[in-house]
Amino acid sequence: MSKDRIYSAPLERVGEFEFDDSVADVFPDMIRRSVPGYSSMLSMIAQCASMYAKPHTNIYDLGCSLGAGTLLIRENAVSDSTIHAVDNSSAMITRLQEIVTNQSTKRPDALPEVNLHLADIRHIEVSNASFVVLNLTLQFLAPQDRTPFLKSVAGGMLDGSALLLSEKVCFEDAEQQNLMTDLHHNFKRAHGYSDLEIAQKRTAIENRLIPETMEAHVARLKAIGFKTVAPWFQCFNFASILAVK
Ligand code: GEK
């Protein structure tokens, strides 16, 4: 696994964060060292895939990156379901295509089919869905696009199906916000990031990743019509919700 050193040297100007080749090359290391609880989120994707994926239905991994979730869904979902993995970064989709092709060649047997889509998740039509994953992706959509997008996703989901939504979150209370931010930065330091790396990444992602509060996420999912909206995980300023239609 290549080590993330993207922000280790001082930059004259820190540009906006992009999911390009340099990020895709180090992505597994970057996300593991940056997101507290990432491995718990992945375990939950695996568990939900075995609980919710139904024969002859579609499963969506929206904002799939290198397919950490997609591959777990593939291992755990019923084999006669179809997985759609979507990302608008060609660097990510190109690498994931190689991984999926390699896996399909080695194990042509009982694995569900995976269709990769190089596309904006807002332009994908979700249909006949038994399980939908948005693992750390909604946060990158413009805030005004989030409700119409989630309504459209919910419209394509079957009764009893599930949406797993994981996000970086923020807090109304300023002290709580500062405390959770400090704890997150300590987590990054403990995983080898320097103060310079933390500061430069923060600048790069500031206008790109816009977090909302847990309360806003829960209220939106309820308003859209999900019957059960269950926050099941939080570590510092990262959280995850299981919403059942
Ligand atoms: C994982 N789920 O490893 N349309 C499609 N893709 C998008 C869009 C969009 N509008 N906006 C962002 N992305 C993964 C991790 S990473 C999370 C998800 C992170 C994609 C973007 O290209 C990137 O690959 C992914 O969403 C977000 O479980 O880096 O914090």
Side-chain angles (χ1 to χ4, degrees):
M1 196 195 298
S2 306
K3 193 161 167 129
D4 170 23
R5 297 184 197 283
I6 294 177
Y7 295 104
S8 58
L11 297 167
E12 240 170 64
R13 198 188 72 83
V14 179
E16 194 161 270
F17 187 80
E18 297 283 352
F19 291 98
D20 57 14
D21 281 309
S22 64
V23 168
D25 282 341
V26 300
F27 190 73
D29 176 69
M30 173 186 282
I31 197 151
R32 194 181 50 81
R33 292 199 289 135
S34 304
V35 176
Y38 179 63
S39 62
S40 300
M41 293 169 188
L42 291 182
S43 303
M44 183 64 162
I45 292 175
Q47 193 177 335
C48 287
S50 63
M51 274 176 76
Y52 290 100
K54 297 281 176 301
H56 314 297
T57 65
N58 293 317
I59 301 159
Y60 294 84
D61 186 9
L62 302 175
C64 57
S65 300
L66 296 181
T70 307
L71 299 177
L72 285 168
I73 295 168
R74 202 178 198 198
E75 291 292 337
N76 288 281
V78 284
S79 59
D80 48 359
S81 55
T82 304
I83 303 167
H84 297 275
V86 185
D87 206 291
N88 65 355
S89 156
S90 58
M92 296 291 189
I93 290 290
T94 305
R95 285 161 180 75
L96 180 54
Q97 182 68 66
E98 278 172 30
I99 298 166
V100 168
T101 307
N102 192 18
Q103 199 185 44
S104 304
T105 315
K106 282 192 186 141
R107 295 177 53 192
D109 48 332
L111 291 177
E113 183 192 342
V114 179
N115 294 324
L116 299 187
H117 305 265
L118 174 58
D120 193 307
I121 55 171
R122 288 166 294 190
H123 302 149
I124 286 285
E125 196 190 323
V126 169
S127 65
N128 189 33
S130 54
F131 181 40
V132 179
V133 174
L134 275 165
N135 202 38
L136 305 162
T137 307
L138 189 72
Q139 58 196 16
F140 292 107
L141 294 193
Q144 69 272 17
D145 291 349
R146 295 178 189 180
T147 300
F149 164 72
L150 284 171
K151 275 187 183 161
S152 141
V153 168
M157 291 174 63
L158 298 162
D159 286 347
S161 65
L163 168 71
L164 190 61
L165 173 69
S166 307
E167 290 275 288
K168 185 173 190 183
V169 293
C170 60
F171 304 87
E172 295 282 1
D173 181 85
E175 303 235 337
Q176 191 177 0
Q177 176 64 35
N178 291 339
L179 178 59
M180 293 300 141
T181 304
D182 286 349
L183 288 164
H184 179 218
H185 290 170
N186 284 345
F187 171 93
K188 292 184 81 164
R189 263 179 224 111
H191 287 83
Y193 283 116
S194 67
D195 288 345
L196 177 70
E197 285 176 295
I198 293 170
Q200 293 194 134
K201 172 79 180 277
R202 193 180 190 181
T203 305
I205 208 122
E206 208 162 44
N207 300 316
R208 194 67 180 83
L209 188 169
I210 300 168
E212 293 173 278
T213 61
M214 195 61 170
E215 292 77 11
H217 283 296
V218 168
R220 181 195 284 123
L221 292 168
K222 284 188 177 160
I224 286 172
F226 285 94
K227 281 200 189 110
T228 306
V229 179
W232 65 273
F233 175 84
Q234 187 186 328
C235 184
F236 311 143
N237 43 2
F238 288 83
S240 188
I241 302 170
L242 179 62
V244 181
K245 190 171 161 183

